[in-house]
Each structure stands twice: as structure tokens, then as C-alpha cells.
Amino acid sequence: AILVRASGTTGAGPLVAAVAAAMAFNNSTPSAPPVEAPLVGRPVYAPSGADGFTGNREDERGEFFQEAVKTQMLQRGEWSDNIYDCTDAKIAFCALCCPCVLFYGLLGRSGPVRSPIGTIDKSKYITAFLVMLVAAMILGSLGPKVRCHEIGSASKDDEFSDAPSKTHTVCHRLGGLVVELAWWIFQYLVLRAIRDKYQVKEDEPLTFLKAACLPGYCLCFQPCYTAQVARHVDRAQGFVPASEALPALSATWVPMGFE
């Protein structure tokens, strides 16, 4: 209740009563919470790639990465060089001596790839490699002999001797051949998935043949093919300067932004 005491001036009574009533109403109304001002400069992630966000991108990009270069490489639809172009000594060495390390780094830079047996990333690849290694040690000596060849060895004293050199026979068994064929197929699926991710148009029989890895049967194009794929991924992901990547693509082809 609001009590207004009349003063000596009769005309001021209604005015004082109205002011007092308005003040009492304002004091009795709860105040609204303050409105938070919009934060200026907050980072915004724009969609990019299959994952939808650049912040959660699963591939790796080098310091020379240019979106225009990668886009043009995808549109070109072919490998950036030939299978016999060994222009990178480090990649060539890894492809010959430690291909599992090269594949691990290759899948790290390209990101996970989709294959008929599911998504393959670098961790799954190393797991499959270890499984195949154990299988080769267990099954390599099992089964009938499928191929044997003799290896000669001569000591230093017998180097100029007319006596026949000592030889020993090495045989490949069916168990080891099965493991080698299984590894060939798995490597083919990985390389095929990377090929499809970078939209390279290549016939399936050719990809399957280039992924072959049977050293005992003189059928081993896989190191050269793996090196070719690794060089292509390095160029697309910006691990090679544009001045070195572009001449490898074409003498006349220039991507957008580099005219």
C-alpha cells in the first residue's frame, strides 16, 4: 500500500502520488539478467573435406600446401609422374628397404582411405603388417614345396679353384606363397584406395599388376609403384614446393593462382 500525505498545496497531491506509485512498481519488479554481447573474433570453422571441418582434418598438409594445386591435381585425374621417375632418393630408399615405413607415412599424409575391406589408416596398416609377419614365420615352412632353386657359395680360397662350388637348395613352400599372395592383395587394396581418393583414373588390372610383390618369382613392381604414389601425395599435400611440383606435372599445365 502506498500512503501519500497531502501537503499544503492541494494541486501537487495527485502528481506526488503518481511518482511514488511508479517508483514502488519499479522497485518491486525483478531486473532482467544482462545480455551477453557477441564475442568478436571467435574462430569459425568452415566445411572442408570429408570430415566436414578443417579443425578435425585427418590428413597432413605441408608448409607449401595450396588448395589450388590439389584441386587441379584431382581434376587432372592422373599420376603426377611416371613409375620409373625416381626423383626422390629418400622415397626410393624407403620403397626398396623399408616399405612398411613408407606406407605408414603415406597413410598419415593422405589420411584414412576407404577400401572394400573397410577404412584403412596408418595404425590399421601397421597392425596388418605385424599379423602378416607372424603368419609368414609360422606358415612359411608349411605345406608342399612349390619352387626350389640352388644358391652357390664359394670360399675365398676356392675362388680361383676349378673345383665345383658348394651349393645349397632353397625351397618355397605353399604356406609362404599363400602369405605372399595375401600381402600382395592387401597392398593392392591400400594403393587402390589411395588412387581413388586422389581421383586418379587407372585401369584395375594395371593397378593390380603394379602392386605385385613376389620377389621369388621375379614379379615385384610394388616398390616403384609405391614410390610413384608417395611422390604424388607429397605434391598434392604440399610437402614439395610448387616450383618443384609443377614441372613434374606438366610443362604447360599451370594451376589457378600461379599464372
Side-chain angles (χ1 to χ4, degrees), residues 149-155 158 163-170:
H149 60 275
E150 294 183 350
I151 299 179
S153 61
S155 62
D158 298 335
S165 60
K166 300 178 181 179
T167 61
H168 64 279
T169 304
V170 177

Side-chain angles (χ1 to χ4, degrees), residues 2-4 11-27:
I2 303 174
L3 300 178
V4 180
L15 179 60
V16 174
V19 173
M23 294 177 61
F25 178 78
N26 291 335
N27 292 333

Side-chain angles (χ1 to χ4, degrees), residues 52-99:
F53 297 96
T54 57
N56 297 326
R57 188 177 58 243
E58 295 179 326
D59 62 344
E60 298 177 4
R61 295 182 176 181
E63 58 178 328
F64 307 105
F65 178 79
Q66 294 289 341
E67 192 68 42
V69 174
K70 184 174 182 179
T71 300
Q72 292 287 346
M73 291 181 69
L74 295 178
Q75 294 176 354
R76 183 183 174 93
E78 60 185 41
W79 298 116
S80 56
D81 61 6
N82 295 313
I83 191 173
Y84 52 79
D85 290 338
C86 296
T87 56
D88 192 312
K90 180 180 178 181
I91 290 179
F93 174 81
C94 289
L96 288 172
C97 301
C98 44

Side-chain angles (χ1 to χ4, degrees), residues 221-236:
F221 303 107
Q222 188 181 114
C224 296
Y225 187 39
T226 306
Q228 181 187 24
V229 175
R231 293 191 301 270
H232 186 83
V233 172
D234 281 358
R235 289 165 183 149

Side-chain angles (χ1 to χ4, degrees), residues 116-158:
I117 59 175
T119 302
I120 303 175
D121 57 12
K122 58 184 181 180
S123 299
K124 293 181 180 179
Y125 178 86
I126 289 298
T127 302
F129 172 76
L130 295 177
V131 170
M132 287 291 182
L133 187 62
V134 173
M137 292 187 294
I138 296 175
L139 303 177
S141 58
L142 300 180
K145 299 177 181 179
V146 294
R147 182 174 181 270
C148 297
H149 60 275
E150 294 183 350
I151 299 179
S153 61
S155 62
K156 185 176 181 181
D157 297 335
D158 298 335

